[in-house]
Amino acid sequence: DRYDDIRECCGDSSNLERLVDDMCSASYRHSVGAGIFEVLLSDPHIEDVYLDAPCDENRVHVTMNGVEGVNAHMRCRTNLMCDNREMDNVVNILKRDSGLRFCQSNPVLETDFREFDARATVIGYPMSPNGYALAVRKHSVRPWTLTRLLANGTMDARSAGLLSFLVNNRSTFLVCGPRGAGKSSLLSALMLELPLSQRILTIEDTIELPGEKMRSMGYKVQTIL
């Protein structure tokens, strides 16, 4: 009877099929899926998703880029909140896909969020006394280059030229900074300044550098975890 009522409200069969698909997707998303994070991470304009503890009392924050065709870079507070059950689902997905432990004796889980081509870090009790805290960073669809960093105003031409000169002359230098400062993006851009004849070895705890993309471009890159 309820199905007939829904069909009557929808009118034609195409609307009904669309409604049923939406209902099934929502049920899956909020049961075994990643919940609201699935919606956020599917948005091509969203680069990062953050949630502070306690998760059921704080709103989700996001970093956005490329809004309305411009190179805007904004950190925004959404109107979304997440309960502990939804966070449990996310943690279970990350544990299942990575095989890593996450408990009171190992309260930090840092791994790839493979379904969304992102890196996720979860902190739990007792390191986070108020419960779960989450940070998710999506990998760039296109590798960063010095030209792209110039185009979006991240760096000036003189700095880009100096860095390119240092790489070409095999200088030794250190890329450092706090979380979110753009270390991986800059290092990715510098790697593309190396000649194709150069053999590159990368050592990462979580894959972020564009090794696979560079190999498809003819670079000799060996990635080690």
Side-chain angles (χ1 to χ4, degrees):
D1 292 339
R2 291 180 179 177
Y3 185 82
D4 291 336
D5 292 339
I6 294 173
R7 182 171 58 185
E8 184 176 346
C9 293
C10 290
D12 59 65
S13 58
S14 61
N15 289 337
L16 176 61
E17 291 177 2
R18 194 158 49 244
L19 177 60
V20 171
D21 288 341
D22 290 344
M23 292 173 63
C24 291
S25 297
S27 298
Y28 176 86
R29 184 167 60 245
H30 292 285
S31 55
V32 297
I36 60 173
F37 300 104
E38 194 165 314
V39 177
L40 292 171
L41 294 171
S42 298
D43 189 326
H45 295 302
I46 292 180
E47 294 184 340
D48 307 301
V49 179
Y50 302 100
L51 179 59
D52 296 326
C55 62
D56 55 354
E57 296 181 14
N58 288 297
R59 295 187 183 186
V60 178
H61 287 69
V62 299
T63 303
M64 303 189 69
N65 201 357
V67 180
E68 297 182 357
V70 299
N71 285 310
H73 192 270
M74 303 175 291
R75 292 186 178 179
C76 312
R77 186 181 69 169
T78 72
N79 62 351
L80 301 174
M81 300 183 73
C82 175
D83 60 20
N84 285 295
R85 180 191 60 81
E86 202 156 21
M87 277 299 304
D88 284 336
N89 285 348
V90 172
V91 170
N92 287 333
I93 291 171
L94 296 175
K95 288 171 61 179
R96 180 193 66 207
D97 291 346
S98 67
L100 298 174
R101 296 179 61 195
F102 182 69
C103 54
Q104 290 192 20
S105 59
N106 291 274
V108 178
L109 177 61
E110 187 165 17
T111 183
D112 286 331
F113 210 154
R114 298 174 185 171
E115 184 177 354
F116 303 103
D117 193 23
R119 183 189 72 180
T121 302
V122 183
I123 302 174
Y125 183 85
M127 180 172 287
S128 175
N130 294 319
Y132 292 127
L134 172 71
V136 182
R137 170 162 296 171
K138 291 168 65 175
H139 300 306
S140 178
V141 177
R142 292 186 298 148
W144 283 100
T145 63
L146 292 180
T147 303
R148 284 188 65 198
L149 294 175
L150 277 170
N152 70 4
T154 301
M155 127 180 348
D156 58 72
R158 183 174 182 177
S159 298
L162 175 60
L163 289 171
S164 179
F165 175 80
L166 292 173
V167 172
N168 287 334
N169 285 273
R170 299 189 177 187
S171 301
T172 300
F173 53 93
L174 179 67
V175 178
C176 60
R179 181 182 292 274
K183 301 182 297 296
S184 298
S185 299
L186 177 57
L187 188 55
S188 298
L190 295 178
M191 287 172 61
L192 290 167
E193 293 296 304
L194 291 166
L196 286 172
S197 59
Q198 193 78 33
R199 180 169 172 79
I200 305 169
L201 175 65
T202 65
I203 304 174
E204 305 177 75
D205 57 357
T206 303
I207 299 297
E208 289 187 272
L209 298 175
E212 184 175 350
K213 179 64 176 178
M214 292 183 69
R215 282 189 287 272
S216 69
M217 297 167 62
Y219 285 88
K220 294 186 283 294
V221 182
Q222 175 63 57
T223 302
I224 298 177
L225 287 172

